[in-house]
Amino acid sequence: MKKELRDKFGRKVTYLRLSITDRCNFKCFYCKPIKDFKYIPHGEILRYEDLLFLAETLKEYGVEKIRLTGGEPFVRKGFLNFLFSLKKIFPNIYITTNGYFLKESVGKLKKIGIKGLNVSLDTLKRELFKEITKVDALDKVLAGIEEAIKERLSLKINTVLMKKSRGEIIDLIKFASERKIPIRFIELMPISSRVKKEFLSENEAKEIIKKHYSLIPIDEKIGIGPSRYLKVPENNGVIGFISALTHNFCETCDKIRITSDGKLRVCLALDDEISIKEAVLKRDVKELISLIKNALDKKPFSHNMSIYDQISGKNMYQIGG
Ligand code: SAM
Ligand code: SF4
């Protein structure tokens, strides 16, 4: 039998989004509560050697890209050493990070040969950054971005669209285009109950942008994700939109998610997670693949997220984005 993973609609899984920790030094209001949040106890998360087994097995079954996420992946002790080991068995490694620990990590990331780095940045205003993340760290994140550019790492900016930061969209486009890096605007997803009144749609963002720039769709595929890209001819900028709510991209979904405690999530909007931890700890490839295939049979063709309904009992820091 062909070693591949497909859902019942024939979509092939080629992309693993692997959360290596739910811990994070920020508390972005759309992702994590300010208090009363619970972290998974250390003893319950998969060890690095478990994650290596998982990566090696899934590579054999057609997974071509791994994105490491969290929480904040860089807060997990030994992360950079883990990346060195992972790279030996898995070539296409991508990371999503809040950028806080980036400056001091850039040299090693370059040495490892990380394929791409997405840095989250919602504003260029110090006070607003602090309001959104609860940490006064804009300068540190910007220093990380500049260092990564200096060392020619492949970089993208991720910006969550929000009413409170609508005034930042044009400055962020300028910032990214001056540095020749693509910027992607992400529609808020109702993973937590705190986001509804802040929702700003792709179309509303485009109206703001069109007052300053023209936007020309780009047909060629950029990056590995679901983003659709446009060119800003006035400054040679490249902007993308990831709009789960207003421009759903489920049709081409090639992704599965695994949390740091070994829960498989076949659709971001489906809380029906299954645990693959036992199979991983036993190094039981047959059982692992069978669990994943059974879960894929339940993957819906499309989500029906609406900004009015909280779609998950979990918050995004617990899932990995
Ligand atoms: N800590 C890292 C970071 O912030 O980039 C990685 C984990 S974070 C959960 C991954 C991505 O999810 C980030 O780009 C973040 O902006 C995005 N995100 C978190 N909560 C979200 C929400 N409710 N709607 C849309 N995107 C969200
Ligand atoms: Fe942390 Fe990233 Fe969530 Fe912000 S979006 S709280 S940085 S995990």
Side-chain angles (χ1 to χ4, degrees):
M1 236 209 307
K2 210 169 171 194
K3 285 189 170 179
E4 62 175 19
L5 299 166
R6 278 186 195 272
D7 66 22
K8 63 174 186 280
F9 304 101
R11 292 170 298 190
K12 192 174 166 200
V13 175
T14 60
Y15 183 0
L16 167 65
R17 202 169 168 110
L18 183 60
S19 172
I20 65 153
T21 179
D22 61 344
R23 287 165 199 251
C24 182
N25 54 327
F26 287 8
K27 295 188 190 88
C28 304
F29 80 92
Y30 44 72
C31 178
K32 185 177 160 187
I34 294 176
K35 54 183 176 122
D36 297 333
F37 54 85
K38 283 198 189 86
Y39 285 141
I40 302 165
H42 278 301
E44 286 176 27
I45 64 171
L46 294 173
R47 295 161 304 172
Y48 284 134
E49 55 262 43
D50 302 325
L51 300 179
L52 293 175
F53 163 75
L54 199 51
E56 200 162 19
T57 309
L58 291 183
K59 187 174 89 175
E60 250 183 76
Y61 280 81
V63 171
E64 296 159 6
K65 308 150 284 192
I66 291 187
R67 176 168 300 281
L68 299 163
T69 176
E72 172 50 40
F74 283 89
V75 303
R76 182 159 171 184
K77 226 169 141 187
F79 178 54
L80 289 166
N81 286 339
F82 164 64
L83 289 176
F84 273 109
S85 308
L86 182 61
K87 179 70 184 178
K88 285 186 195 137
I89 58 167
F90 204 100
N92 299 324
I93 306 172
Y94 300 81
I95 302 172
T96 298
T97 174
N98 64 24
Y100 188 88
F101 302 97
L102 192 52
K103 187 161 190 250
E104 60 265 36
S105 311
V106 161
K108 281 195 174 158
L109 293 175
K110 191 167 161 77
K111 219 174 190 179
I112 293 162
I114 293 302
K115 282 270 167 147
L117 211 56
N118 289 351
V119 183
S120 298
L121 181 68
D122 296 337
T123 171
L124 293 166
K125 296 217 166 66
R126 184 176 167 188
E127 280 310 311
L128 188 55
F129 186 97
K130 204 167 137 192
E131 184 187 324
I132 293 169
T133 64
K134 306 293 172 293
V135 182
D136 187 6
L138 175 64
D139 287 351
K140 203 161 154 58
V141 172
L142 293 180
I145 291 174
E146 300 299 0
E147 188 68 19
I149 292 170
K150 202 171 103 199
E151 291 302 325
R152 295 174 184 275
L153 283 181
S154 169
L155 206 68
K156 291 195 186 75
I157 303 284
N158 276 352
T159 301
V160 175
L161 288 171
M162 288 170 270
K163 284 207 167 78
K164 69 167 79 201
S165 55
R166 64 199 307 164
E168 290 296 279
I169 294 175
I170 298 302
D171 283 349
L172 282 163
I173 292 176
K174 263 191 219 148
F175 174 87
S177 66
E178 278 165 15
R179 287 158 183 79
K180 299 186 174 41
I181 44 181
I183 177 163
R184 294 115 47 87
F185 293 103
I186 304 172
E187 275 184 358
L188 263 179
M189 286 178 264
I191 301 288
S192 98
S193 57
R194 299 173 297 277
V195 301
K196 204 180 345 183
K197 64 178 190 327
E198 279 299 329
F199 182 74
L200 185 81
S201 70
E202 169 178 333
N203 287 351
E204 288 172 298
K206 278 184 178 158
E207 286 310 310
I208 295 171
I209 297 168
K210 280 178 187 163
K211 286 187 188 138
H212 300 258
Y213 300 123
S214 14
L215 292 174
I216 300 170
I218 301 176
D219 287 335
E220 89 203 63
K221 175 133 179 70
I222 299 177
I224 58 166
S227 191
R228 290 163 295 109
Y229 285 92
L230 301 119
K231 203 172 167 154
V232 183
E234 289 85 352
N235 59 18
N236 272 328
V238 173
I239 70 169
F241 286 95
I242 303 178
S243 309
L245 275 92
T246 65
H247 296 72
N248 155 339
F249 39 82
C250 301
E251 203 178 318
T252 54
C253 184
D254 59 353
K255 196 185 295 175
I256 55 173
R257 294 175 166 78
I258 296 178
T259 62
S260 55
D261 57 347
K263 304 262 169 54
L264 170 71
R265 196 172 175 108
V266 289
C267 169
L268 178 61
L270 193 71
D271 259 351
D272 231 357
E273 295 176 344
I274 61 142
S275 178
I276 54 162
K277 189 170 160 186
E278 285 308 310
V280 171
L281 295 184
K282 284 190 287 178
R283 303 288 186 264
D284 189 335
V285 174
K286 213 169 145 203
E287 188 184 329
L288 174 64
I289 297 302
S290 153
L291 283 168
I292 298 175
K293 285 187 170 169
N294 285 340
L296 280 171
D297 280 344
K298 297 194 189 99
K299 181 171 166 121
F301 183 69
S302 137
H303 68 73
N304 54 1
M305 274 193 242
S306 136
I307 196 64
Y308 301 108
D309 307 311
Q310 186 175 347
I311 54 149
S312 174
K314 281 189 163 181
N315 283 285
M316 201 68 110
Y317 77 99
Q318 299 168 301
I319 301 171

